[in-house]
Amino acid sequence: MTVTGDATHPANHGRLCSKGAALGSTVGLEGRLLHPVIGTRTVTWSEATALVARRFSEAIARHGPDSVAFYVSGQLLTEDYYAANKLMKGFIGSGNIDTNSRLCMASAVVAHKLAFGADLVPGCYEDLDLADLVVLSGHNAAWTHPVLFRRMEAARARGQRHVVIDPRRTDTAEGCDLHLAIAPQTDVRLWNGLLAELIRRGAVDRGYVAAHVSGFAEVEAELARADQSAHAVARDCGVVETDLERFYDLFVETPRTVSLFSMGANQSAQGVAKGSAILNAHLATGRIGKPGACPFSITGQPNAMGGRETGGMATTLAAHMDFDDASRAQLARFWGAHRTAAQPGLKAVDLFEAVGEGKIKALWIMATNPAVSLPDAGRVRAALAACPFVVVSDVMAETDTAAFAHVKLPALAWGEKDGTVTNSERRISRQRRLFAPPGEARPDWRIVAEVATAMGFGDAFGWRSPAQVFREWARLTAYENPDRVLNLGPLSGIGQDAYDALEPVQWPVRADGSGTPRLFADGRFQTPDGRARMVPVAAQGPAEATDPAFPLSLNTGRIRDHWHTLTRTGLAPELCRHAPEPYVEIHPADAGPLGIVEGRLTRVQTARGEAVAVARLSDRQRPGAIFMPMHWTEAFAPAGRANTLVAPRRDPRSGQPEFKHTPARVRPYRETWRGFFLAREGWRAPKGLDLVWRRIPQPACQLHEFAGRGDAAEREALRTALVRGAGAEVVRYEDPATGGAREAFLTAGRLDRILFLTASGRLPPRDWLAELFAAPVLSAADRAALLIGRAPGVAAETGPLVCACRNVRAGRIETAIAAGAASVDAVGAATTAGTVCGSCRPEIARLIAAQPARVAHRAA
């Protein structure tokens, strides 16, 4: 299947990231949930809907509306979000609906509301083209927003400069003009220092502040409480003073500045303060509402913004209305509801703590996997196991969360959905169905509406199409709305044909149907007096300090080619090549004294639990800190789940968890044997064996890596489980000296399974063996080389994979560079690497920069 981007769409102009380019590998029916399930029994929709409605209604009748909850997701469409929020807050009468966007953007939401009066993103993507300076604060755009990063690359060609604020030297930081590798949780100190310097240098726009901003004097007084000299700020942030002064110079000298901030800023117990400190610098200089100048909170999920707009967060009512009496009465009039929620509900971490405490009797989880993605995930699993009634709506039949479901409801996947989403720049886009609904899967808005009807609320949920849901949502944004910026009123009367043809548009929508690229161009904000508010914030240390028992700071996050918890990207082998298994990145200075070796399994421990991952030694990681990706699950690497380690600390105002700092320690795993197993189907380790295993999808098979600390009996127990029911023809080789065994199983000349184990010997590369599973019958030469593990007469490529789209490894790129390819584009012409999505271009640039050092090393 070929996937191409929409060249006419203003957000991406047809460019796709690696995940978008691989969508064709994820739209099949492998592993799909296609029918409603109660327990282990497939049932009709009417039976499943009736049970969900009855159990929720019974819980409400016995324990009150706050005894039930919805946990939803930025993977939902706006129409889905609207339906779920309407049912919970309007008709059940509880605020207990929260979204996994709480884990991503909640701190930015609160910072926006404090400064602007509402959750309003002032800028647009065009500002990234126009800016002369882009400050990326806690944002590895090269990996997480590669399409936007390519636009910024083009702007750099005309002179745009980049400053990256990040403890890690990420791919974004590698090629920037200035990297400030600040110590964990010193962001507020840095931004406060910048604002103090702006004041000292007379760089504050006093006219703008006088006309449009409140709170400047209070912020100035807060700054005066600490030593704001460059020397003191650099010392506290752990950066070189001259680098800090260069940052100050760049910001002072560049009116067209965009400050992009994302998870590194938001995912913190100080997330709101970090966001406020960034907004303060822009308000003080008037760099907002102007082309190429704004603070810009960038989202990750496809519809995190749609959820924030409709009320999918427990802390807002709907359509940017809060829980004040006037807003509640207004919403009740519009919905014809008499149980409108009286107060905010439970935020994500609080919600699952309430589940664990027995306060939530019925929980409905939609399109997300909290058993993996929430902090302190072991406690989340215990809470789900104890909950009396759990409903999961999902596209996949088996997820870590679905394992706890009493009822599973089949939902439509991407490509089958029909509705709208909103991106980071407030742009509403139509998502149009590409494939017919499979099995009995239904859209989420319809599932919610049918449960609502079964609960007795059918008159308010009688929609027959997503267009009807959208029109109602658009009407709500305009209803009794004299001053809220979020307003889709001109779209509230569109018919089905106009909805089908809806072009991308940025809200607020003007009377003629056009959008609004930038907010606050007139200096008016959605506050009672129309003035923005600067918020005093004080620098604080980490919520939980490191100590001799846990001396390292654990930072978790995303990687380039995966998304959330592998339920979809794990279906695409091409997305599993760049980072095929869980890893922990550690600075060599920290690794050496502990005996941590590159490529070997390493135990990562915190006060919450332990994980095992492959060590990656890198001076790109700040000494004293380690990094682990958060994606792996029970189905792919149960020992490598990072969020079981993360403390459930969160920002007191936003409720957003602290994913970027948990005190930790590392130790070698000290395995006594290793091995790998290739088979056509995925496999899980048998119970009773204390193994570390990882499953890595391949185009024609599944690769499983194993390690253990047992003896020969443990290896034999594993072997017995793996070969049970294998092909009739067996080829076997044993090496008692290394504790090695190699076995291949064939059926009618076709490779069925292959197993390599060793206690002390080397293992061959896996790529060629994995490719053999695509052959209908093995050749005589391939059969002869099976247990050698290498193609006869062919040198194996063993370097790390750089370009997942084109399957190009570092060795080929280095060969091209040595042959004269001196630019990223030249490498692309020689190898095709970096010519599809561009996510790997920073890595290619790093290889080019390193080539002279390699040549000098060989010469020496």
Side-chain angles (χ1 to χ4, degrees):
M1 179 182 294
T2 301
V3 178
T4 57
D6 181 355
T8 66
H9 198 288
N12 70 332
H13 302 294
R15 287 194 181 276
L16 298 176
C17 69
S18 59
K19 293 175 284 294
L23 278 169
S25 299
T26 72
V27 296
L29 299 185
E30 176 189 352
R32 284 292 298 272
L33 178 64
L34 298 176
H35 307 279
V37 175
I38 297 176
T40 59
R41 183 171 56 92
T42 299
V43 299
T44 64
W45 266 108
S46 59
E47 183 178 351
T49 300
L51 178 61
V52 174
R54 178 171 63 81
R55 292 296 298 269
F56 270 77
S57 296
E58 288 173 351
I60 294 164
R62 294 174 184 173
H63 307 284
D66 288 335
S67 69
V68 302
F70 296 167
Y71 186 63
V72 296
S73 164
Q75 309 300 305
L76 296 177
L77 302 187
T78 297
E79 291 79 359
D80 305 326
Y81 256 127
Y82 179 77
N85 189 58
K86 180 179 180 180
L87 175 56
M88 179 55 74
K89 290 185 182 144
F91 289 84
I92 290 176
S94 172
N96 284 347
I97 174 173
D98 208 36
T99 168
N100 62 3
S101 299
R102 179 72 55 190
L103 314 182
C104 308
M105 307 310 304
S107 292
V109 170
V110 175
H112 288 157
K113 292 178 72 173
L114 291 172
F116 309 143
D119 177 21
L120 302 168
V121 178
C124 60
Y125 292 162
E126 184 188 39
D127 291 325
L128 299 174
D129 304 326
L130 302 176
D132 296 318
L133 174 66
V134 177
V135 182
L136 299 105
S137 186
H139 182 208
N140 186 12
W143 278 18
T144 60
H145 291 89
V147 172
L148 289 181
F149 191 71
R150 293 293 297 276
R151 289 176 69 161
M152 289 186 279
E153 275 189 326
R156 288 197 75 195
R158 62 150 181 85
Q160 184 183 88
R161 292 163 295 182
H162 292 177
V163 174
V164 174
I165 301 168
D166 198 312
R168 301 169 60 222
R169 195 169 79 245
T170 62
D171 275 14
T172 305
E174 280 284 353
C176 71
D177 299 278
L178 176 63
H179 175 212
L180 296 176
I182 61 173
Q185 307 307 329
T186 58
D187 308 60
V188 173
R189 183 73 167 120
L190 178 75
W191 285 95
N192 276 358
L194 169 65
L195 181 53
E197 185 71 10
L198 294 171
I199 294 170
R200 273 195 298 270
R201 297 196 192 184
V204 171
D205 188 334
R206 298 282 177 175
Y208 186 87
V209 170
H212 304 298
V213 180
S214 300
F216 180 84
E218 291 82 354
V219 170
E220 194 170 24
E222 178 61 43
L223 294 177
R225 296 176 184 274
D227 182 355
Q228 302 293 350
S229 67
H231 176 75
V233 174
R235 178 198 63 216
D236 293 346
C237 294
V239 299
V240 177
E241 186 174 342
T242 53
D243 287 345
L244 180 68
E245 290 172 339
R246 187 180 175 208
F247 171 47
Y248 290 168
D249 291 341
L250 287 169
F251 202 98
V252 168
E253 297 165 359
T254 315
R256 287 195 171 195
T257 295
V258 171
S259 295
L260 280 172
F261 60 107
S262 191
M263 304 306 166
N266 292 323
Q267 289 182 330
S268 168
Q270 306 165 32
V272 174
K274 293 179 183 182
S276 292
I278 294 169
L279 300 184
N280 285 346
H282 277 264
L283 290 172
T285 52
R287 296 176 185 180
I288 189 168
K290 300 171 183 176
C294 66
F296 203 150
S297 164
I298 197 86
T299 61
Q301 294 195 83
N303 201 29
M305 288 286 283
R308 288 155 61 176
E309 296 157 8
T310 57
M313 303 185 87
T315 43
T316 60
L317 193 57
H320 286 185
M321 290 184 282
D322 290 324
F323 288 85
D324 57 277
D325 290 343
S327 295
R328 290 181 57 245
Q330 179 180 334
L331 192 62
R333 286 193 297 275
F334 181 82
W335 278 341
H338 304 292
R339 298 183 186 173
T340 306
Q343 60 190 10
L346 294 168
K347 306 179 188 80
V349 176
D350 303 316
L351 190 157
F352 282 89
E353 287 182 351
V355 173
E357 293 164 0
K359 297 176 182 177
I360 301 297
K361 309 298 182 182
L363 174 65
W364 189 349
I365 299 167
M366 305 179 196
T368 186
N369 197 7
V372 179
S373 57
L374 278 168
D376 203 4
R379 189 161 67 164
V380 172
R381 289 166 182 260
L384 289 169
C387 187
F389 189 64
V390 177
V391 180
V392 171
S393 301
D394 210 320
V395 301
M396 305 305 293
E398 296 184 11
T399 69
D400 286 33
T401 299
F404 299 97
H406 300 93
V407 178
K408 294 191 283 190
L409 303 176
L412 295 182
W414 178 91
E416 301 151 10
K417 286 176 172 283
D418 191 20
T420 58
V421 296
T422 308
N423 72 358
S424 295
E425 60 172 350
R426 294 168 284 102
R427 191 181 298 277
I428 300 168
S429 298
R430 278 285 278 115
Q431 182 162 318
R432 297 176 175 88
R433 176 179 297 162
L434 300 176
F435 309 106
E440 295 184 273
R442 292 180 176 177
D444 290 276
W445 65 263
R446 181 181 169 190
I447 298 172
V448 171
E450 291 181 350
V451 170
T453 299
M455 293 178 72
F457 310 128
D459 289 346
F461 291 84
W463 310 300
R464 296 183 302 279
S465 70
Q468 291 181 321
V469 185
F470 180 83
R471 284 197 295 271
E472 182 179 318
W473 156 236
R475 287 198 305 274
L476 173 59
T477 67
Y479 181 69
E480 298 180 8
N481 178 11
D483 54 11
R484 291 196 310 278
V485 175
L486 174 56
N487 193 327
L488 313 184
L491 302 179
S492 62
I494 62 174
Q496 184 65 52
D497 290 344
Y499 179 75
D500 289 340
L502 183 65
E503 292 293 320
V505 61
Q506 289 170 281
W507 61 258
V509 181
R510 299 186 175 110
D512 63 359
S514 62
T516 307
R518 295 176 188 86
L519 304 183
F520 315 135
D522 59 358
R524 287 196 57 79
F525 298 83
Q526 194 180 305
T527 55
D529 62 1
R531 299 169 68 89
R533 296 183 293 242
M534 292 178 65
V535 179
V537 290
Q540 300 176 355
E544 185 178 4
T546 57
D547 58 32
F550 297 103
L552 302 172
S553 174
L554 169 64
N555 174 8
T556 65
R558 282 175 50 195
I559 57 175
R560 192 186 76 186
D561 295 337
H562 277 313
W563 176 249
H564 284 193
T565 63
L566 299 180
T567 51
R568 303 298 286 171
T569 58
L571 298 173
E574 59 267 44
L575 297 179
C576 299
R577 294 170 181 158
H578 184 250
E581 56 189 322
Y583 66 87
V584 55
E585 191 171 83
I586 182 171
H587 193 279
D590 292 323
L594 297 170
I596 305 298
V597 178
E598 171 72 26
R600 298 304 295 268
L601 290 175
T602 301
R603 300 165 65 196
V604 184
Q605 299 169 318
T606 71
R608 272 84 195 164
E610 176 176 323
V612 180
V614 172
R616 286 190 179 180
L617 276 58
S618 173
D619 63 2
R620 302 172 77 202
Q621 179 64 51
R622 182 184 175 88
I626 57 176
F627 173 80
M628 277 190 73
M630 53 75 67
H631 306 284
W632 279 272
T633 68
E634 195 76 27
F636 288 91
R641 292 181 285 117
N643 284 345
T644 58
L645 308 175
V646 176
R649 298 181 183 276
R650 53 264 195 202
D651 186 287
R653 287 178 289 186
S654 71
Q656 183 156 356
E658 173 69 270
F659 284 106
K660 300 305 181 186
H661 170 78
T662 298
R665 65 183 176 224
V666 296
R667 300 287 187 273
Y669 178 70
R670 302 193 191 284
E671 64 270 27
T672 58
W673 61 271
R674 299 175 295 122
F676 66 86
F677 174 62
L678 288 157
R680 298 191 178 277
E681 303 295 332
W683 181 91
R684 297 193 186 192
K687 294 181 180 179
L689 293 181
D690 182 20
L691 304 179
V692 173
W693 65 270
R694 297 88 74 199
R695 175 166 68 88
I696 306 164
Q698 307 293 311
C701 64
Q702 298 286 323
L703 167 63
H704 308 78
E705 299 280 349
F706 298 101
R709 294 182 287 191
D711 55 14
E714 182 178 68
R715 297 196 297 276
E716 182 57 28
L718 174 65
R719 177 195 167 277
T720 300
L722 293 176
V723 303
R724 187 177 295 119
E729 184 182 349
V730 183
V731 183
R732 180 174 173 83
Y733 167 79
E734 292 190 46
D735 181 3
T738 64
R742 303 184 176 194
E743 290 182 281
F745 300 84
L746 299 92
T747 301
R750 185 174 186 236
L751 188 58
D752 182 39
R753 306 178 197 181
I754 191 163
L755 172 65
F756 278 57
L757 296 172
T758 185
S760 60
R762 299 180 64 182
L763 294 170
R766 286 53 156 173
D767 289 359
W768 177 69
L769 291 170
E771 290 170 2
L772 294 181
F773 281 81
V777 177
L778 294 187
S779 68
D782 288 342
R783 287 172 63 99
L786 258 183
L787 298 188
I788 299 172
R790 299 174 186 273
V794 179
E797 280 195 273
T798 59
L801 189 91
V802 175
C803 179
C805 299
R806 295 297 192 188
N807 197 25
V808 181
R809 293 187 177 274
R812 280 181 61 196
I813 294 172
E814 289 167 350
T815 299
I817 296 169
S823 69
V824 173
D825 290 336
V827 168
T831 68
T832 73
T835 60
V836 181
C837 77
S839 300
C840 61
R841 289 172 66 87
E843 194 166 349
I844 296 171
R846 189 162 66 249
L847 291 171
I848 294 171
Q851 186 74 351
R854 280 193 294 271
V855 172
H857 177 74
R858 286 196 293 267

